[in-house]
Amino acid sequence: MSIIEVKNLKKSFGDLEVLKDISTEVNEQEVVCVIGPSGSGKSTFLRCLNKLEEITDGHVIVNGHDITDPKININKIRQEVGMVFQHFNLFPHKSVLENITLAPMKVKSVNKQAAREKALELLDKVGLKEKADSYPGELSGGQKQRVAIARALAMEPKVMLFDEPTSALDPEMIGEVLEVMKQLAKEGMTMVVVTHEMGFAREVGDRVIFMDGGFIVEEKEPEQLFGNPENERTKAFLGKVL
Amino acid sequence: MDLIMDSLPLLWEGLKLTAYITVLGLFFGFIIGLITALFRLSPIAPLKWLAIWFINIVRGTPFLVQLFFIYFGLNSLSWISLSPINAGILGISINAGAYIAEIIRAGIQSIDKGQTEAARTLGLSSAQTMRYIILPQALRRMLPTFVNQAIISLKDTSLLSVIGIAELTQRGQIVVSATYEAFKIWTVVGIMYFILIYLLTQLGNYVERRYELR
């Protein structure tokens, strides 16, 4: 069953058309990796999936709700779609624990005790239980990103979006974040991951989307896409990054 | 020396009134400033224009003219009756409010847009995002500028002497005209203002350290 369905999605910034007719879907428990050169529209595509960008044309159906419907309560939809950003975007004035408990308490009215327990459980899962009372400024990049993942998971989303989650990290910290994501995939989380980590896409992805120039150029199982790319542009891109 | 000691209780009363008007003026000024800043950033056009014109008018006219308008102008209307002190507090509030609105607006706009995005993707509404994420960070960041405005407003209260409020400057004038000791009395008055502003600065530094982002 598909959790996200994208139909003829188009997105323009002024006169610049960034996404030109994108259609695809994401099924339950599937890990979809989106790769492509910078400027190909992959981040914009991801940001359209939870309406962080206004959608110019087409439809995006999340969990049965068409988010392009102007009457839709987007806050409700977003509770079910977790997102992890390249630059973490932790709340610097709140402790690690407060970063994680804020949304469940304010949005879902979970009581403090329950939110706390859940947060500690998630921190344990990402290996940062001892950092609960630290502030984001005291953490390394890799730790910040793991907290950001825990924060998103605290809302118990049905699908997680990752926007280049390791691109802002020092090389030695990339592994710890990918490890957490791998674990998440293993547990059956539905994930859409925009990434430059070809190793991750190949190993963890169920399907890889190659985007270029605002189009989906090729969309296949990782072994096929990496092992036997058909399109010239895919070949050229993979030739440069592999 | 005796003269100074004799005049101190009188000046002390003035100092207390100056502090009282400053505190209330800044309190209401902050509320006016916060509302104006939120209007200013609102997508609703009439609110936005209301805020912009309020700020423009206050910044585009001298404080003394605003004060005369409130005390003499408004009081000339039959249905309004403002005591000098209330008119003074109102004047300081409105004047500080317009400047504080711009301080808060700049503070809000200085917060990285990723903060809003992170909050909104967690399902927080725009009002919740403003309240729990943006404002707490913006207010911390604007604290030094806010202390600056507080100092300016405190000094502006000395202009209230012209509508007959017995604040510190007015008391100074009274004492000088009774004693003809202009040099000594104005020195004392100056020192009193200086101490008040010094304490305000220290308070600002303390609050800044207390809420520093770790």
Side-chain angles (χ1 to χ4, degrees):
Chain A
M1 201 198 109
S2 69
I3 285 194
I4 297 177
E5 217 181 320
V6 181
K7 291 182 193 164
N8 307 105
L9 169 64
K10 290 179 187 152
K11 169 69 188 172
S12 303
F13 293 103
D15 289 338
L16 182 69
E17 198 174 27
V18 179
L19 297 178
K20 304 162 184 164
D21 200 8
I22 303 264
S23 295
T24 188
E25 56 180 41
V26 179
N27 295 311
E28 218 166 304
Q29 306 214 336
E30 194 181 19
V31 177
V32 176
C33 292
V34 185
I35 62 170
S38 51
S40 59
K42 50 194 194 307
S43 278
T44 306
F45 164 68
L46 194 74
R47 291 162 61 84
C48 284
L49 301 184
N50 62 357
K51 224 179 168 187
L52 267 189
E53 300 292 350
E54 280 299 323
I55 292 159
T56 309
D57 196 18
H59 294 277
V60 175
I61 293 134
V62 177
N63 223 359
H65 304 280
D66 188 343
I67 64 169
T68 58
D69 179 351
K71 288 194 291 285
I72 200 93
N73 180 356
I74 192 68
N75 296 337
K76 203 84 194 153
I77 309 288
R78 283 176 176 156
Q79 291 174 35
E80 305 192 321
V81 184
M83 188 160 195
V84 174
F85 300 86
Q86 182 178 356
H87 294 289
F88 333 122
N89 298 343
L90 293 181
F91 308 132
H93 61 302
K94 298 205 170 284
S95 72
V96 164
L97 196 76
E98 290 166 340
N99 262 275
I100 301 174
T101 56
L102 178 83
M105 283 166 62
K106 301 299 177 197
V107 179
K108 283 182 159 179
S109 307
V110 175
N111 73 51
K112 193 172 179 179
Q113 188 54 34
R116 220 186 126 81
E117 275 167 29
K118 173 89 184 165
L120 288 172
E121 192 183 302
L122 287 167
L123 279 175
D124 195 29
K125 183 181 171 135
V126 299
L128 290 170
K129 202 171 184 178
E130 75 285 3
K131 296 288 184 191
D133 296 318
S134 301
Y135 279 78
E138 300 164 338
L139 304 180
S140 72
Q143 292 172 330
K144 282 182 193 166
Q145 196 60 298
R146 286 187 279 154
V147 171
I149 293 172
R151 178 176 69 177
L153 290 174
M155 291 299 282
E156 299 177 324
K158 291 207 165 66
V159 52
M160 287 278 284
L161 310 178
F162 293 84
D163 190 3
E164 302 196 25
T166 57
S167 296
L169 296 177
D170 290 337
E172 74 269 23
M173 291 171 185
I174 292 175
E176 63 192 61
V177 172
L178 292 182
E179 206 47 55
V180 169
M181 291 169 62
K182 254 181 234 176
Q183 186 58 36
L184 212 52
K186 220 180 276 175
E187 290 165 12
M189 175 60 78
T190 311
M191 294 161 62
V192 184
V193 187
V194 171
T195 186
H196 292 292
E197 294 295 323
M198 298 303 148
F200 178 86
R202 192 166 198 158
E203 186 190 334
V204 185
D206 295 309
R207 184 153 47 97
V208 177
I209 291 176
F210 172 68
M211 280 183 70
D212 192 15
F215 291 103
I216 291 180
V217 176
E218 224 170 322
E219 181 175 4
K220 283 179 177 158
E221 282 178 22
E223 284 317 310
Q224 282 179 302
L225 189 109
F226 288 109
N228 187 21
E230 282 170 30
N231 191 287
E232 285 308 316
R233 283 193 281 177
T234 319
K235 283 181 196 168
F237 175 74
L238 291 177
K240 277 183 234 161
V241 297
L242 288 181
Chain B
M1 203 59 205
D2 277 355
L3 178 84
I4 292 175
M5 294 312 284
D6 288 347
S7 67
L8 274 184
L10 205 64
L11 295 178
W12 174 246
E13 287 305 311
L15 186 71
K16 282 200 291 192
L17 192 58
T18 292
Y20 172 77
I21 292 172
T22 305
V23 168
L24 282 185
L26 286 173
F27 175 75
F28 292 118
F30 183 80
I31 293 172
I32 293 171
L34 182 60
I35 293 170
T36 307
L38 294 175
F39 278 15
R40 171 82 176 74
L41 295 171
S42 159
I44 303 164
L47 294 183
K48 193 183 179 128
W49 286 109
L50 192 68
I52 288 174
W53 277 102
F54 170 69
I55 293 167
N56 279 345
I57 288 169
V58 173
R59 290 206 300 193
T61 53
F63 177 60
L64 206 50
V65 173
Q66 293 162 17
L67 194 64
F68 285 161
F69 174 78
I70 290 168
Y71 184 61
F72 298 114
L74 292 184
N75 266 342
S76 71
L77 304 172
S78 57
W79 46 279
I80 288 182
S81 170
L82 284 165
S83 69
I85 289 189
N86 286 343
I89 293 171
L90 186 63
I92 294 282
S93 305
I94 287 175
N95 188 267
Y99 287 96
I100 290 172
E102 283 297 89
I103 296 171
I104 296 179
R105 179 188 63 81
I108 288 173
Q109 287 180 329
S110 77
I111 303 300
D112 184 67
K113 123 177 169 308
Q115 292 288 308
T116 303
E117 291 185 351
R120 296 305 304 274
T121 54
L122 287 165
L124 271 76
S125 67
S126 59
Q128 286 175 319
T129 301
M130 188 52 84
R131 176 165 166 205
Y132 299 115
I133 306 302
I134 306 304
L135 273 183
Q137 294 183 61
L139 294 182
R140 271 165 232 232
R141 200 170 282 187
M142 59 166 244
L143 201 66
T145 331
F146 183 69
V147 170
N148 210 29
Q149 180 58 44
I151 291 170
I152 293 172
S153 290
L154 193 157
K155 291 181 184 172
D156 280 350
T157 61
S158 71
L159 290 169
L160 301 182
S161 58
V162 300
I163 57 169
I165 297 178
E167 44 67 67
L168 185 53
T169 303
Q170 171 81 338
R171 298 265 177 169
Q173 272 166 348
I174 292 168
V175 175
V176 168
S177 58
T179 62
Y180 300 105
E181 290 283 1
F183 185 84
K184 286 179 186 165
I185 296 303
W186 288 122
T187 303
V188 173
V189 168
I191 290 170
M192 285 178 141
Y193 273 115
F194 182 84
I195 291 172
L196 209 53
I197 287 169
Y198 183 77
L199 291 176
L200 190 62
T201 311
Q202 290 304 309
L203 178 71
N205 288 345
Y206 169 76
V207 176
E208 210 173 316
R209 272 197 307 275
R210 172 78 181 69
Y211 290 101
E212 197 175 19
L213 290 182
R214 271 181 273 179

